[in-house]
PDB file of all heavy atoms in Angstrom:
ATOM      1  N   TYR O 262       0.795  -1.217   0.000  1.00 91.00           N
ATOM      2  CA  TYR O 262       0.000   0.000   0.000  1.00 91.00           C
ATOM      3  C   TYR O 262       0.833   1.275   0.000  1.00 91.00           C
ATOM      4  O   TYR O 262       0.412   2.295  -0.555  1.00 91.00           O
ATOM      5  CB  TYR O 262      -0.968  -0.001   1.186  1.00 91.00           C
ATOM      6  CG  TYR O 262      -1.977  -1.118   1.107  1.00 91.00           C
ATOM      7  CD1 TYR O 262      -1.988  -2.142   2.039  1.00 91.00           C
ATOM      8  CD2 TYR O 262      -2.903  -1.176   0.067  1.00 91.00           C
ATOM      9  CE1 TYR O 262      -2.894  -3.186   1.954  1.00 91.00           C
ATOM     10  CE2 TYR O 262      -3.817  -2.211  -0.029  1.00 91.00           C
ATOM     11  CZ  TYR O 262      -3.810  -3.213   0.924  1.00 91.00           C
ATOM     12  OH  TYR O 262      -4.699  -4.246   0.832  1.00 91.00           O
ATOM     13  N   ASP O 263       2.024   1.239   0.599  1.00 93.00           N
ATOM     14  CA  ASP O 263       2.868   2.434   0.615  1.00 93.00           C
ATOM     15  C   ASP O 263       3.870   2.451  -0.535  1.00 93.00           C
ATOM     16  O   ASP O 263       4.627   3.411  -0.682  1.00 93.00           O
ATOM     17  CB  ASP O 263       3.606   2.556   1.951  1.00 93.00           C
ATOM     18  CG  ASP O 263       4.467   1.338   2.255  1.00 93.00           C
ATOM     19  OD1 ASP O 263       4.105   0.234   1.806  1.00 93.00           O
ATOM     20  OD2 ASP O 263       5.496   1.486   2.951  1.00 93.00           O
ATOM     21  N   LEU O 264       3.869   1.405  -1.358  1.00 95.00           N
ATOM     22  CA  LEU O 264       4.835   1.310  -2.452  1.00 95.00           C
ATOM     23  C   LEU O 264       4.173   0.908  -3.773  1.00 95.00           C
ATOM     24  O   LEU O 264       4.829   0.332  -4.649  1.00 95.00           O
ATOM     25  CB  LEU O 264       5.936   0.298  -2.098  1.00 95.00           C
ATOM     26  CG  LEU O 264       6.956   0.746  -1.043  1.00 95.00           C
ATOM     27  CD1 LEU O 264       7.806  -0.431  -0.585  1.00 95.00           C
ATOM     28  CD2 LEU O 264       7.839   1.862  -1.590  1.00 95.00           C
ATOM     29  N   THR O 265       2.913   1.214  -3.923  1.00 93.00           N
ATOM     30  CA  THR O 265       2.183   0.807  -5.130  1.00 93.00           C
ATOM     31  C   THR O 265       2.848   1.317  -6.406  1.00 93.00           C
ATOM     32  O   THR O 265       3.087   0.556  -7.350  1.00 93.00           O
ATOM     33  CB  THR O 265       0.726   1.317  -5.066  1.00 93.00           C
ATOM     34  OG1 THR O 265       0.088   0.785  -3.898  1.00 93.00           O
ATOM     35  CG2 THR O 265      -0.049   0.870  -6.301  1.00 93.00           C
ATOM     36  N   ASP O 266       3.174   2.598  -6.448  1.00 95.00           N
ATOM     37  CA  ASP O 266       3.780   3.186  -7.642  1.00 95.00           C
ATOM     38  C   ASP O 266       5.171   2.619  -7.897  1.00 95.00           C
ATOM     39  O   ASP O 266       5.537   2.332  -9.037  1.00 95.00           O
ATOM     40  CB  ASP O 266       3.850   4.707  -7.521  1.00 95.00           C
ATOM     41  CG  ASP O 266       2.472   5.356  -7.533  1.00 95.00           C
ATOM     42  OD1 ASP O 266       1.514   4.677  -7.951  1.00 95.00           O
ATOM     43  OD2 ASP O 266       2.362   6.528  -7.129  1.00 95.00           O
ATOM     44  N   VAL O 267       5.948   2.477  -6.836  1.00 96.00           N
ATOM     45  CA  VAL O 267       7.302   1.941  -6.980  1.00 96.00           C
ATOM     46  C   VAL O 267       7.263   0.507  -7.480  1.00 96.00           C
ATOM     47  O   VAL O 267       8.022   0.123  -8.384  1.00 96.00           O
ATOM     48  CB  VAL O 267       8.063   2.016  -5.636  1.00 96.00           C
ATOM     49  CG1 VAL O 267       9.391   1.267  -5.716  1.00 96.00           C
ATOM     50  CG2 VAL O 267       8.303   3.470  -5.242  1.00 96.00           C
ATOM     51  N   ARG O 268       6.376  -0.293  -6.936  1.00 95.00           N
ATOM     52  CA  ARG O 268       6.266  -1.689  -7.368  1.00 95.00           C
ATOM     53  C   ARG O 268       5.863  -1.766  -8.842  1.00 95.00           C
ATOM     54  O   ARG O 268       6.363  -2.612  -9.593  1.00 95.00           O
ATOM     55  CB  ARG O 268       5.249  -2.434  -6.493  1.00 95.00           C
ATOM     56  CG  ARG O 268       5.768  -2.734  -5.093  1.00 95.00           C
ATOM     57  CD  ARG O 268       4.695  -3.397  -4.236  1.00 95.00           C
ATOM     58  NE  ARG O 268       4.331  -4.716  -4.733  1.00 95.00           N
ATOM     59  CZ  ARG O 268       4.957  -5.840  -4.400  1.00 95.00           C
ATOM     60  NH1 ARG O 268       6.000  -5.806  -3.572  1.00 95.00           N
ATOM     61  NH2 ARG O 268       4.557  -7.007  -4.871  1.00 95.00           N
ATOM     62  N   SER O 269       4.969  -0.884  -9.257  1.00 95.00           N
ATOM     63  CA  SER O 269       4.554  -0.855 -10.655  1.00 95.00           C
ATOM     64  C   SER O 269       5.736  -0.541 -11.573  1.00 95.00           C
ATOM     65  O   SER O 269       5.930  -1.184 -12.620  1.00 95.00           O
ATOM     66  CB  SER O 269       3.451   0.182 -10.839  1.00 95.00           C
ATOM     67  OG  SER O 269       3.067   0.282 -12.197  1.00 95.00           O
ATOM     68  N   GLU O 270       6.540   0.439 -11.178  1.00 96.00           N
ATOM     69  CA  GLU O 270       7.708   0.805 -11.974  1.00 96.00           C
ATOM     70  C   GLU O 270       8.743  -0.317 -12.013  1.00 96.00           C
ATOM     71  O   GLU O 270       9.355  -0.583 -13.052  1.00 96.00           O
ATOM     72  CB  GLU O 270       8.341   2.073 -11.416  1.00 96.00           C
ATOM     73  CG  GLU O 270       7.521   3.332 -11.667  1.00 96.00           C
ATOM     74  CD  GLU O 270       8.308   4.590 -11.330  1.00 96.00           C
ATOM     75  OE1 GLU O 270       9.469   4.687 -11.747  1.00 96.00           O
ATOM     76  OE2 GLU O 270       7.744   5.457 -10.641  1.00 96.00           O
ATOM     77  N   ILE O 271       8.942  -0.967 -10.871  1.00 96.00           N
ATOM     78  CA  ILE O 271       9.912  -2.060 -10.808  1.00 96.00           C
ATOM     79  C   ILE O 271       9.463  -3.238 -11.669  1.00 96.00           C
ATOM     80  O   ILE O 271      10.265  -3.868 -12.374  1.00 96.00           O
ATOM     81  CB  ILE O 271      10.121  -2.512  -9.348  1.00 96.00           C
ATOM     82  CG1 ILE O 271      10.835  -1.410  -8.561  1.00 96.00           C
ATOM     83  CG2 ILE O 271      10.923  -3.808  -9.284  1.00 96.00           C
ATOM     84  CD1 ILE O 271      12.220  -1.063  -9.049  1.00 96.00           C
ATOM     85  N   HIS O 272       8.171  -3.532 -11.634  1.00 96.00           N
ATOM     86  CA  HIS O 272       7.627  -4.620 -12.454  1.00 96.00           C
ATOM     87  C   HIS O 272       7.895  -4.341 -13.930  1.00 96.00           C
ATOM     88  O   HIS O 272       8.386  -5.219 -14.674  1.00 96.00           O
ATOM     89  CB  HIS O 272       6.130  -4.772 -12.188  1.00 96.00           C
ATOM     90  CG  HIS O 272       5.511  -5.968 -12.854  1.00 96.00           C
ATOM     91  ND1 HIS O 272       5.145  -5.971 -14.183  1.00 96.00           N
ATOM     92  CD2 HIS O 272       5.204  -7.209 -12.380  1.00 96.00           C
ATOM     93  CE1 HIS O 272       4.635  -7.146 -14.506  1.00 96.00           C
ATOM     94  NE2 HIS O 272       4.657  -7.916 -13.426  1.00 96.00           N
ATOM     95  N   GLU O 273       7.589  -3.131 -14.370  1.00 95.00           N
ATOM     96  CA  GLU O 273       7.800  -2.762 -15.772  1.00 95.00           C
ATOM     97  C   GLU O 273       9.289  -2.764 -16.123  1.00 95.00           C
ATOM     98  O   GLU O 273       9.690  -3.251 -17.187  1.00 95.00           O
ATOM     99  CB  GLU O 273       7.208  -1.377 -16.029  1.00 95.00           C
ATOM    100  CG  GLU O 273       7.367  -0.893 -17.466  1.00 95.00           C
ATOM    101  CD  GLU O 273       6.823   0.507 -17.675  1.00 95.00           C
ATOM    102  OE1 GLU O 273       6.614   1.226 -16.687  1.00 95.00           O
ATOM    103  OE2 GLU O 273       6.595   0.871 -18.845  1.00 95.00           O
ATOM    104  N   PHE O 274      10.107  -2.238 -15.229  1.00 96.00           N
ATOM    105  CA  PHE O 274      11.548  -2.156 -15.453  1.00 96.00           C
ATOM    106  C   PHE O 274      12.168  -3.544 -15.614  1.00 96.00           C
ATOM    107  O   PHE O 274      12.967  -3.777 -16.538  1.00 96.00           O
ATOM    108  CB  PHE O 274      12.196  -1.411 -14.281  1.00 96.00           C
ATOM    109  CG  PHE O 274      13.693  -1.424 -14.284  1.00 96.00           C
ATOM    110  CD1 PHE O 274      14.391  -0.645 -15.186  1.00 96.00           C
ATOM    111  CD2 PHE O 274      14.399  -2.205 -13.390  1.00 96.00           C
ATOM    112  CE1 PHE O 274      15.784  -0.646 -15.193  1.00 96.00           C
ATOM    113  CE2 PHE O 274      15.782  -2.213 -13.394  1.00 96.00           C
ATOM    114  CZ  PHE O 274      16.476  -1.432 -14.295  1.00 96.00           C
ATOM    115  N   LEU O 275      11.823  -4.465 -14.736  1.00 96.00           N
ATOM    116  CA  LEU O 275      12.381  -5.814 -14.803  1.00 96.00           C
ATOM    117  C   LEU O 275      11.923  -6.550 -16.055  1.00 96.00           C
ATOM    118  O   LEU O 275      12.723  -7.195 -16.745  1.00 96.00           O
ATOM    119  CB  LEU O 275      11.992  -6.604 -13.548  1.00 96.00           C
ATOM    120  CG  LEU O 275      12.592  -6.129 -12.222  1.00 96.00           C
ATOM    121  CD1 LEU O 275      12.033  -6.933 -11.057  1.00 96.00           C
ATOM    122  CD2 LEU O 275      14.119  -6.218 -12.253  1.00 96.00           C
ATOM    123  N   ALA O 276      10.632  -6.436 -16.365  1.00 94.00           N
ATOM    124  CA  ALA O 276      10.093  -7.124 -17.539  1.00 94.00           C
ATOM    125  C   ALA O 276      10.733  -6.609 -18.830  1.00 94.00           C
ATOM    126  O   ALA O 276      11.053  -7.391 -19.736  1.00 94.00           O
ATOM    127  CB  ALA O 276       8.582  -6.956 -17.592  1.00 94.00           C
ATOM    128  N   LYS O 277      10.937  -5.298 -18.918  1.00 95.00           N
ATOM    129  CA  LYS O 277      11.523  -4.709 -20.120  1.00 95.00           C
ATOM    130  C   LYS O 277      12.981  -5.099 -20.297  1.00 95.00           C
ATOM    131  O   LYS O 277      13.517  -5.038 -21.414  1.00 95.00           O
ATOM    132  CB  LYS O 277      11.402  -3.182 -20.072  1.00 95.00           C
ATOM    133  CG  LYS O 277      10.024  -2.661 -20.430  1.00 95.00           C
ATOM    134  CD  LYS O 277      10.034  -1.142 -20.499  1.00 95.00           C
ATOM    135  CE  LYS O 277       8.676  -0.607 -20.968  1.00 95.00           C
ATOM    136  NZ  LYS O 277       8.676   0.879 -21.046  1.00 95.00           N
ATOM    137  N   ASN O 278      13.640  -5.480 -19.210  1.00 95.00           N
ATOM    138  CA  ASN O 278      15.064  -5.802 -19.271  1.00 95.00           C
ATOM    139  C   ASN O 278      15.351  -7.298 -19.180  1.00 95.00           C
ATOM    140  O   ASN O 278      16.455  -7.707 -18.812  1.00 95.00           O
ATOM    141  CB  ASN O 278      15.813  -5.039 -18.170  1.00 95.00           C
ATOM    142  CG  ASN O 278      15.974  -3.565 -18.492  1.00 95.00           C
ATOM    143  OD1 ASN O 278      16.814  -3.189 -19.299  1.00 95.00           O
ATOM    144  ND2 ASN O 278      15.136  -2.729 -17.880  1.00 95.00           N
ATOM    145  N   GLY O 279      14.354  -8.104 -19.523  1.00 94.00           N
ATOM    146  CA  GLY O 279      14.587  -9.534 -19.679  1.00 94.00           C
ATOM    147  C   GLY O 279      14.497 -10.378 -18.428  1.00 94.00           C
ATOM    148  O   GLY O 279      14.970 -11.516 -18.421  1.00 94.00           O
ATOM    149  N   PHE O 280      13.872  -9.851 -17.370  1.00 96.00           N
ATOM    150  CA  PHE O 280      13.682 -10.614 -16.134  1.00 96.00           C
ATOM    151  C   PHE O 280      12.200 -10.919 -15.941  1.00 96.00           C
ATOM    152  O   PHE O 280      11.338 -10.248 -16.510  1.00 96.00           O
ATOM    153  CB  PHE O 280      14.213  -9.842 -14.930  1.00 96.00           C
ATOM    154  CG  PHE O 280      15.708  -9.632 -14.948  1.00 96.00           C
ATOM    155  CD1 PHE O 280      16.251  -8.502 -15.544  1.00 96.00           C
ATOM    156  CD2 PHE O 280      16.556 -10.562 -14.382  1.00 96.00           C
ATOM    157  CE1 PHE O 280      17.626  -8.303 -15.578  1.00 96.00           C
ATOM    158  CE2 PHE O 280      17.928 -10.377 -14.403  1.00 96.00           C
ATOM    159  CZ  PHE O 280      18.464  -9.246 -15.008  1.00 96.00           C
ATOM    160  N   ILE O 281      11.934 -11.908 -15.134  1.00 94.00           N
ATOM    161  CA  ILE O 281      10.554 -12.240 -14.789  1.00 94.00           C
ATOM    162  C   ILE O 281      10.291 -11.777 -13.360  1.00 94.00           C
ATOM    163  O   ILE O 281      10.781 -12.375 -12.403  1.00 94.00           O
ATOM    164  CB  ILE O 281      10.296 -13.759 -14.886  1.00 94.00           C
ATOM    165  CG1 ILE O 281      10.574 -14.257 -16.303  1.00 94.00           C
ATOM    166  CG2 ILE O 281       8.853 -14.084 -14.474  1.00 94.00           C
ATOM    167  CD1 ILE O 281      10.465 -15.770 -16.444  1.00 94.00           C
ATOM    168  N   PRO O 282       9.536 -10.677 -13.184  1.00 94.00           N
ATOM    169  CA  PRO O 282       9.232 -10.209 -11.830  1.00 94.00           C
ATOM    170  C   PRO O 282       8.154 -11.073 -11.189  1.00 94.00           C
ATOM    171  O   PRO O 282       7.118 -11.348 -11.803  1.00 94.00           O
ATOM    172  CB  PRO O 282       8.728  -8.783 -12.059  1.00 94.00           C
ATOM    173  CG  PRO O 282       8.211  -8.779 -13.460  1.00 94.00           C
ATOM    174  CD  PRO O 282       9.007  -9.782 -14.226  1.00 94.00           C
ATOM    175  N   ILE O 283       8.400 -11.523  -9.974  1.00 90.00           N
ATOM    176  CA  ILE O 283       7.425 -12.314  -9.222  1.00 90.00           C
ATOM    177  C   ILE O 283       6.895 -11.431  -8.107  1.00 90.00           C
ATOM    178  O   ILE O 283       7.599 -11.131  -7.146  1.00 90.00           O
ATOM    179  CB  ILE O 283       8.055 -13.591  -8.649  1.00 90.00           C
ATOM    180  CG1 ILE O 283       8.670 -14.426  -9.770  1.00 90.00           C
ATOM    181  CG2 ILE O 283       7.014 -14.406  -7.887  1.00 90.00           C
ATOM    182  CD1 ILE O 283       9.379 -15.675  -9.282  1.00 90.00           C
ATOM    183  N   MET O 284       5.626 -11.000  -8.248  1.00 91.00           N
ATOM    184  CA  MET O 284       5.039 -10.058  -7.314  1.00 91.00           C
ATOM    185  C   MET O 284       3.611 -10.500  -6.984  1.00 91.00           C
ATOM    186  O   MET O 284       2.807 -10.722  -7.887  1.00 91.00           O
ATOM    187  CB  MET O 284       5.069  -8.651  -7.904  1.00 91.00           C
ATOM    188  CG  MET O 284       6.472  -8.228  -8.323  1.00 91.00           C
ATOM    189  SD  MET O 284       6.558  -6.657  -9.235  1.00 91.00           S
ATOM    190  CE  MET O 284       6.312  -5.485  -7.912  1.00 91.00           C
ATOM    191  N   SER O 285       3.321 -10.606  -5.708  1.00 83.00           N
ATOM    192  CA  SER O 285       2.061 -11.196  -5.267  1.00 83.00           C
ATOM    193  C   SER O 285       0.833 -10.393  -5.650  1.00 83.00           C
ATOM    194  O   SER O 285      -0.282 -10.921  -5.651  1.00 83.00           O
ATOM    195  CB  SER O 285       2.081 -11.395  -3.745  1.00 83.00           C
ATOM    196  OG  SER O 285       2.244 -10.151  -3.082  1.00 83.00           O
ATOM    197  N   ASP O 286       0.995  -9.109  -5.973  1.00 82.00           N
ATOM    198  CA  ASP O 286      -0.142  -8.254  -6.326  1.00 82.00           C
ATOM    199  C   ASP O 286      -0.385  -8.197  -7.830  1.00 82.00           C
ATOM    200  O   ASP O 286      -1.166  -7.371  -8.297  1.00 82.00           O
ATOM    201  CB  ASP O 286       0.042  -6.849  -5.763  1.00 82.00           C
ATOM    202  CG  ASP O 286       1.402  -6.250  -6.075  1.00 82.00           C
ATOM    203  OD1 ASP O 286       2.358  -7.021  -6.258  1.00 82.00           O
ATOM    204  OD2 ASP O 286       1.530  -5.014  -6.124  1.00 82.00           O
ATOM    205  N   TYR O 287       0.249  -9.087  -8.588  1.00 78.00           N
ATOM    206  CA  TYR O 287       0.045  -9.142 -10.034  1.00 78.00           C
ATOM    207  C   TYR O 287      -0.602 -10.455 -10.441  1.00 78.00           C
ATOM    208  O   TYR O 287      -0.411 -11.486  -9.787  1.00 78.00           O
ATOM    209  CB  TYR O 287       1.378  -8.950 -10.773  1.00 78.00           C
ATOM    210  CG  TYR O 287       1.777  -7.505 -10.888  1.00 78.00           C
ATOM    211  CD1 TYR O 287       2.319  -6.829  -9.790  1.00 78.00           C
ATOM    212  CD2 TYR O 287       1.577  -6.783 -12.061  1.00 78.00           C
ATOM    213  CE1 TYR O 287       2.668  -5.489  -9.870  1.00 78.00           C
ATOM    214  CE2 TYR O 287       1.917  -5.443 -12.159  1.00 78.00           C
ATOM    215  CZ  TYR O 287       2.461  -4.813 -11.062  1.00 78.00           C
ATOM    216  OH  TYR O 287       2.791  -3.481 -11.149  1.00 78.00           O
ATOM    217  N   GLU O 288      -1.362 -10.394 -11.528  1.00 74.00           N
ATOM    218  CA  GLU O 288      -2.128 -11.564 -11.960  1.00 74.00           C
ATOM    219  C   GLU O 288      -1.243 -12.732 -12.372  1.00 74.00           C
ATOM    220  O   GLU O 288      -1.668 -13.886 -12.330  1.00 74.00           O
ATOM    221  CB  GLU O 288      -3.052 -11.185 -13.127  1.00 74.00           C
ATOM    222  CG  GLU O 288      -4.168 -10.222 -12.736  1.00 74.00           C
ATOM    223  CD  GLU O 288      -5.078  -9.894 -13.902  1.00 74.00           C
ATOM    224  OE1 GLU O 288      -4.798 -10.365 -15.017  1.00 74.00           O
ATOM    225  OE2 GLU O 288      -6.074  -9.168 -13.694  1.00 74.00           O
ATOM    226  N   ASP O 289      -0.007 -12.446 -12.791  1.00 70.00           N
ATOM    227  CA  ASP O 289       0.876 -13.523 -13.228  1.00 70.00           C
ATOM    228  C   ASP O 289       1.637 -14.168 -12.068  1.00 70.00           C
ATOM    229  O   ASP O 289       2.533 -14.977 -12.282  1.00 70.00           O
ATOM    230  CB  ASP O 289       1.869 -13.013 -14.273  1.00 70.00           C
ATOM    231  CG  ASP O 289       2.676 -11.811 -13.791  1.00 70.00           C
ATOM    232  OD1 ASP O 289       2.446 -11.357 -12.652  1.00 70.00           O
ATOM    233  OD2 ASP O 289       3.533 -11.337 -14.562  1.00 70.00           O
ATOM    234  N   PHE O 290       1.276 -13.808 -10.830  1.00 72.00           N
ATOM    235  CA  PHE O 290       1.901 -14.447  -9.673  1.00 72.00           C
ATOM    236  C   PHE O 290       1.598 -15.941  -9.699  1.00 72.00           C
ATOM    237  O   PHE O 290       0.438 -16.339  -9.878  1.00 72.00           O
ATOM    238  CB  PHE O 290       1.380 -13.829  -8.378  1.00 72.00           C
ATOM    239  CG  PHE O 290       2.034 -14.368  -7.132  1.00 72.00           C
ATOM    240  CD1 PHE O 290       3.340 -14.010  -6.816  1.00 72.00           C
ATOM    241  CD2 PHE O 290       1.351 -15.219  -6.288  1.00 72.00           C
ATOM    242  CE1 PHE O 290       3.945 -14.494  -5.666  1.00 72.00           C
ATOM    243  CE2 PHE O 290       1.949 -15.708  -5.137  1.00 72.00           C
ATOM    244  CZ  PHE O 290       3.250 -15.352  -4.827  1.00 72.00           C
ATOM    245  N   PRO O 291       2.607 -16.805  -9.548  1.00 66.00           N
ATOM    246  CA  PRO O 291       2.397 -18.259  -9.664  1.00 66.00           C
ATOM    247  C   PRO O 291       1.560 -18.828  -8.520  1.00 66.00           C
ATOM    248  O   PRO O 291       2.071 -19.135  -7.445  1.00 66.00           O
ATOM    249  CB  PRO O 291       3.827 -18.820  -9.637  1.00 66.00           C
ATOM    250  CG  PRO O 291       4.633 -17.787  -8.917  1.00 66.00           C
ATOM    251  CD  PRO O 291       4.010 -16.460  -9.282  1.00 66.00           C
ATOM    252  N   ASP O 292       0.260 -18.971  -8.760  1.00 64.00           N
ATOM    253  CA  ASP O 292      -0.635 -19.442  -7.699  1.00 64.00           C
ATOM    254  C   ASP O 292      -0.778 -20.953  -7.666  1.00 64.00           C
ATOM    255  O   ASP O 292      -1.554 -21.493  -6.878  1.00 64.00           O
ATOM    256  CB  ASP O 292      -2.024 -18.809  -7.842  1.00 64.00           C
ATOM    257  CG  ASP O 292      -2.672 -19.123  -9.180  1.00 64.00           C
ATOM    258  OD1 ASP O 292      -2.064 -19.849  -9.986  1.00 64.00           O
ATOM    259  OD2 ASP O 292      -3.788 -18.635  -9.422  1.00 64.00           O
ATOM    260  N   ASP O 293      -0.039 -21.661  -8.509  1.00 58.00           N
ATOM    261  CA  ASP O 293      -0.125 -23.112  -8.522  1.00 58.00           C
ATOM    262  C   ASP O 293       0.955 -23.766  -7.676  1.00 58.00           C
ATOM    263  O   ASP O 293       1.084 -24.987  -7.638  1.00 58.00           O
ATOM    264  CB  ASP O 293      -0.018 -23.639  -9.959  1.00 58.00           C
ATOM    265  CG  ASP O 293       1.272 -23.220 -10.636  1.00 58.00           C
ATOM    266  OD1 ASP O 293       1.876 -22.225 -10.189  1.00 58.00           O
ATOM    267  OD2 ASP O 293       1.676 -23.898 -11.601  1.00 58.00           O
ATOM    268  N   LEU O 294       1.757 -22.928  -6.984  1.00 48.00           N
ATOM    269  CA  LEU O 294       2.843 -23.485  -6.191  1.00 48.00           C
ATOM    270  C   LEU O 294       2.344 -24.153  -4.920  1.00 48.00           C
ATOM    271  O   LEU O 294       2.970 -25.043  -4.387  1.00 48.00           O
ATOM    272  CB  LEU O 294       3.830 -22.362  -5.807  1.00 48.00           C
ATOM    273  CG  LEU O 294       4.600 -21.735  -6.969  1.00 48.00           C
ATOM    274  CD1 LEU O 294       5.389 -20.532  -6.478  1.00 48.00           C
ATOM    275  CD2 LEU O 294       5.535 -22.753  -7.591  1.00 48.00           C
ATOM    276  N   SER O 295       1.211 -23.730  -4.437  1.00 48.00           N
ATOM    277  CA  SER O 295       0.696 -24.274  -3.178  1.00 48.00           C
ATOM    278  C   SER O 295      -0.813 -24.103  -3.125  1.00 48.00           C
ATOM    279  O   SER O 295      -1.370 -23.178  -3.687  1.00 48.00           O
ATOM    280  CB  SER O 295       1.338 -23.539  -1.993  1.00 48.00           C
ATOM    281  OG  SER O 295       0.722 -23.895  -0.783  1.00 48.00           O
ATOM    282  N   LYS O 296      -1.462 -25.034  -2.471  1.00 54.00           N
ATOM    283  CA  LYS O 296      -2.907 -24.931  -2.291  1.00 54.00           C
ATOM    284  C   LYS O 296      -3.238 -24.257  -0.958  1.00 54.00           C
ATOM    285  O   LYS O 296      -4.390 -24.149  -0.595  1.00 54.00           O
ATOM    286  CB  LYS O 296      -3.533 -26.328  -2.345  1.00 54.00           C
ATOM    287  CG  LYS O 296      -3.421 -26.989  -3.719  1.00 54.00           C
ATOM    288  CD  LYS O 296      -4.091 -28.350  -3.723  1.00 54.00           C
ATOM    289  CE  LYS O 296      -3.988 -29.009  -5.095  1.00 54.00           C
ATOM    290  NZ  LYS O 296      -4.621 -30.347  -5.129  1.00 54.00           N
ATOM    291  N   ASN O 297      -2.219 -23.799  -0.273  1.00 57.00           N
ATOM    292  CA  ASN O 297      -2.414 -23.171   1.023  1.00 57.00           C
ATOM    293  C   ASN O 297      -2.656 -21.671   0.875  1.00 57.00           C
ATOM    294  O   ASN O 297      -3.010 -21.194  -0.195  1.00 57.00           O
ATOM    295  CB  ASN O 297      -1.190 -23.450   1.910  1.00 57.00           C
ATOM    296  CG  ASN O 297      -1.032 -24.930   2.202  1.00 57.00           C
ATOM    297  OD1 ASN O 297      -2.006 -25.622   2.490  1.00 57.00           O
ATOM    298  ND2 ASN O 297       0.194 -25.431   2.108  1.00 57.00           N
ATOM    299  N   SER O 298      -2.432 -20.914   1.928  1.00 65.00           N
ATOM    300  CA  SER O 298      -2.724 -19.492   1.949  1.00 65.00           C
ATOM    301  C   SER O 298      -1.760 -18.708   1.064  1.00 65.00           C
ATOM    302  O   SER O 298      -0.724 -19.210   0.625  1.00 65.00           O
ATOM    303  CB  SER O 298      -2.620 -18.979   3.385  1.00 65.00           C
ATOM    304  OG  SER O 298      -1.287 -19.094   3.847  1.00 65.00           O
ATOM    305  N   THR O 299      -2.127 -17.444   0.809  1.00 68.00           N
ATOM    306  CA  THR O 299      -1.251 -16.557   0.060  1.00 68.00           C
ATOM    307  C   THR O 299       0.090 -16.423   0.761  1.00 68.00           C
ATOM    308  O   THR O 299       1.141 -16.332   0.121  1.00 68.00           O
ATOM    309  CB  THR O 299      -1.903 -15.164  -0.083  1.00 68.00           C
ATOM    310  OG1 THR O 299      -3.151 -15.300  -0.759  1.00 68.00           O
ATOM    311  CG2 THR O 299      -1.010 -14.220  -0.850  1.00 68.00           C
ATOM    312  N   TYR O 300       0.067 -16.428   2.084  1.00 71.00           N
ATOM    313  CA  TYR O 300       1.285 -16.356   2.891  1.00 71.00           C
ATOM    314  C   TYR O 300       2.235 -17.479   2.503  1.00 71.00           C
ATOM    315  O   TYR O 300       3.417 -17.263   2.231  1.00 71.00           O
ATOM    316  CB  TYR O 300       0.890 -16.457   4.363  1.00 71.00           C
ATOM    317  CG  TYR O 300       1.981 -16.112   5.351  1.00 71.00           C
ATOM    318  CD1 TYR O 300       2.096 -14.818   5.850  1.00 71.00           C
ATOM    319  CD2 TYR O 300       2.869 -17.074   5.811  1.00 71.00           C
ATOM    320  CE1 TYR O 300       3.080 -14.490   6.776  1.00 71.00           C
ATOM    321  CE2 TYR O 300       3.856 -16.762   6.734  1.00 71.00           C
ATOM    322  CZ  TYR O 300       3.952 -15.461   7.210  1.00 71.00           C
ATOM    323  OH  TYR O 300       4.933 -15.139   8.115  1.00 71.00           O
ATOM    324  N   THR O 301       1.719 -18.705   2.447  1.00 80.00           N
ATOM    325  CA  THR O 301       2.537 -19.864   2.097  1.00 80.00           C
ATOM    326  C   THR O 301       2.976 -19.811   0.640  1.00 80.00           C
ATOM    327  O   THR O 301       4.101 -20.178   0.293  1.00 80.00           O
ATOM    328  CB  THR O 301       1.764 -21.164   2.360  1.00 80.00           C
ATOM    329  OG1 THR O 301       1.333 -21.192   3.728  1.00 80.00           O
ATOM    330  CG2 THR O 301       2.628 -22.384   2.081  1.00 80.00           C
ATOM    331  N   LYS O 302       2.094 -19.336  -0.235  1.00 81.00           N
ATOM    332  CA  LYS O 302       2.437 -19.231  -1.657  1.00 81.00           C
ATOM    333  C   LYS O 302       3.603 -18.281  -1.863  1.00 81.00           C
ATOM    334  O   LYS O 302       4.462 -18.516  -2.715  1.00 81.00           O
ATOM    335  CB  LYS O 302       1.218 -18.751  -2.448  1.00 81.00           C
ATOM    336  CG  LYS O 302       0.083 -19.759  -2.545  1.00 81.00           C
ATOM    337  CD  LYS O 302      -1.114 -19.162  -3.277  1.00 81.00           C
ATOM    338  CE  LYS O 302      -2.289 -20.148  -3.300  1.00 81.00           C
ATOM    339  NZ  LYS O 302      -3.466 -19.565  -3.968  1.00 81.00           N
ATOM    340  N   CYS O 303       3.640 -17.201  -1.102  1.00 86.00           N
ATOM    341  CA  CYS O 303       4.743 -16.255  -1.216  1.00 86.00           C
ATOM    342  C   CYS O 303       6.063 -16.910  -0.823  1.00 86.00           C
ATOM    343  O   CYS O 303       7.082 -16.728  -1.503  1.00 86.00           O
ATOM    344  CB  CYS O 303       4.489 -15.029  -0.339  1.00 86.00           C
ATOM    345  SG  CYS O 303       3.209 -13.919  -0.975  1.00 86.00           S
TER     346      CYS O 303
END
């Protein structure tokens, strides 16, 4: 909540430079890693 803009910029920056950003607030977050809580998935 206090870093929404920064996280958005970092996500775009990493993706544009050939990295895969893993961020829990994005739809592409790998939710198949665990059937448990978001806490455990992170």
Side-chain angles (χ1 to χ4, degrees):
Y262 297 115
D263 58 330
L264 287 169
T265 301
D266 293 343
V267 171
R268 286 176 66 87
S269 177
E270 288 191 47
I271 292 298
H272 187 279
E273 180 182 17
F274 172 74
L275 293 175
K277 282 186 176 180
N278 285 283
F280 295 90
I281 301 175
I283 303 177
M284 305 172 75
S285 61
D286 50 333
Y287 279 77
E288 293 181 357
D289 55 359
F290 184 73
D292 59 1
D293 58 338
L294 294 173
S295 171
K296 294 182 180 179
N297 296 317
S298 65
T299 301
Y300 192 93
T301 304
K302 291 177 183 178
C303 287

